[in-house]
Amino acid sequence: MGTSRLFSGSADAYNRFVGRYGPHLSGELIATAGIREGQRVLDVGCGPGALTAAVAALVGPDLVSAVDPSEPFAQACRDRVPGADVRVAAAESLPFNDDAFDATLSQLVVNFLDDAPRGLSEMRRVTRPGGVVAGCTWDYAGEMTMLRAFWDAARSLDPDAADEGTTMRYSDPESLGELWRGAGLADVDVSPIVAEAGYEDFDDMWEPFLAGNGPAGAHTVSLEPDAQAALRDEFARRLGSPEGPFTLSARAWCAVGTA
Ligand SMILES: C[S@@+](CC[C@H](N)C(=O)[O-])C[C@H]1O[C@@H](n2cnc3c(N)ncnc32)[C@H](O)[C@@H]1O
């Protein structure tokens, strides 16, 4: 998948979109991966830096590195986490020596890699033997409530809409477990983690789709105004037509393995 195009929006738009779940999700990923004070940690596909910031709060920014191929996202991450080593680079060719980290993490990234098996092999290479490689992806077909309701609405209006529940290759325990084991990681475990995000009202959730972020945003901006309005109405209906503030939960699958 050509991903730079999918994440070419601003960091602010991303943070209002799925980035809203980022801080809560990061805490769950860090806990599941067992990250501890004193560890050197790499965040692969850091985006605007939700996970980088959460890791830095635990181990200190001096022990944190992060990479993303998007220059605006890497800059937003640098601004968010002063002192961390943030570089513009892709997972498939990490600019670090072998065994450089105690832990390598990736949050919501592996589906967007051009070559996910190569990316995971690189993550293992830069992690010291006995260190941890962990990552999570949304449960697109199931309990990522916002995206599931969005694609159910989109497909009810256009059966050919490219539902992430079917287009995302790594979004269930089996495929993630295979990806991790295929990279030579040992003791692989995949478990669910859940994050929540709050919204002022429906438009607070809908507006970031209009910025074109990710596959759902790209689908939204590809529609003519009438079709976009119909999608908005159907999406709202599937979430119970919320009038005021509401909260949604989102489940991700988290894979953890030992290098
Ligand atoms: C859904 S965002 C997740 C961002 C961040 N990890 C978070 O949790 O908010 C996916 C990220 O993967 C990045 N990405 C795309 N292709 C990549 C690649 N080949 N290597 C590393 N990151 C990549 C995108 O630029 C984007 O920042």
Side-chain angles (χ1 to χ4, degrees):
M1 167 171 320
T3 52
S4 338
R5 185 180 49 82
L6 287 174
F7 294 101
S8 58
S10 72
D12 281 349
Y14 177 81
N15 284 330
R16 287 191 66 205
F17 185 51
V18 291
R20 207 181 293 232
Y21 297 83
H24 190 178
L25 192 67
S26 299
E28 299 296 314
L29 174 57
I30 287 168
T32 306
I35 305 302
R36 299 183 304 279
E37 259 182 77
Q39 290 188 319
R40 297 159 300 164
V41 183
L42 171 64
D43 178 10
V44 175
C46 59
L51 177 61
T52 320
V55 172
L58 178 62
V59 306
D62 293 354
L63 293 179
V64 179
S65 296
V67 297
D68 200 287
S70 156
E71 173 59 49
F73 278 3
Q75 188 55 49
C77 184
R78 274 182 211 114
D79 294 344
R80 189 168 178 170
V81 194
D85 169 22
V86 183
R87 304 187 194 182
V88 174
E92 293 88 344
S93 181
L94 291 172
F96 302 104
N97 292 334
D98 295 0
D99 308 342
F101 299 98
D102 298 299
T104 299
L105 307 178
S106 69
Q107 177 165 287
L108 309 175
V109 170
V110 297
N111 281 297
F112 300 102
L113 301 181
D114 292 327
D115 185 342
R118 186 178 164 90
L120 260 290
S121 292
E122 277 287 274
M123 293 185 214
R124 180 184 54 73
R125 180 185 67 75
V126 301
T127 308
R128 66 161 173 81
V132 66
V133 175
C136 63
T137 68
W138 291 128
D139 175 14
Y140 292 98
E143 295 181 34
M144 195 314 176
T145 308
M146 178 182 78
L147 291 177
R148 191 62 263 135
F150 174 87
W151 287 113
D152 285 345
R155 284 183 50 208
S156 75
L157 299 167
D158 173 5
D160 294 329
D163 179 357
E164 288 172 271
T166 55
T167 60
M168 291 304 190
R169 176 153 179 206
Y170 304 106
S171 54
D172 58 70
E174 293 71 30
S175 59
L176 280 169
E178 273 171 33
L179 181 63
W180 255 241
R181 281 188 292 274
L185 294 158
D187 304 325
V188 174
D189 186 53
V190 185
S191 60
I193 55 177
V194 176
E196 287 189 345
Y199 299 93
E200 303 276 312
D201 52 26
F202 182 80
D203 279 322
D204 185 29
M205 191 191 62
W206 174 243
E207 280 160 13
F209 282 79
L210 301 173
N213 259 303
H219 177 76
T220 304
V221 299
S222 76
L223 299 174
E224 297 296 328
D226 282 0
Q228 223 175 58
L231 176 57
R232 182 196 177 285
D233 290 350
E234 182 59 18
F235 187 16
R237 193 186 69 73
R238 285 172 184 266
L239 290 172
S241 303
E243 291 290 336
F246 64 101
T247 299
L248 295 180
S249 70
R251 181 166 75 175
W253 294 109
C254 180
V256 182
T258 304

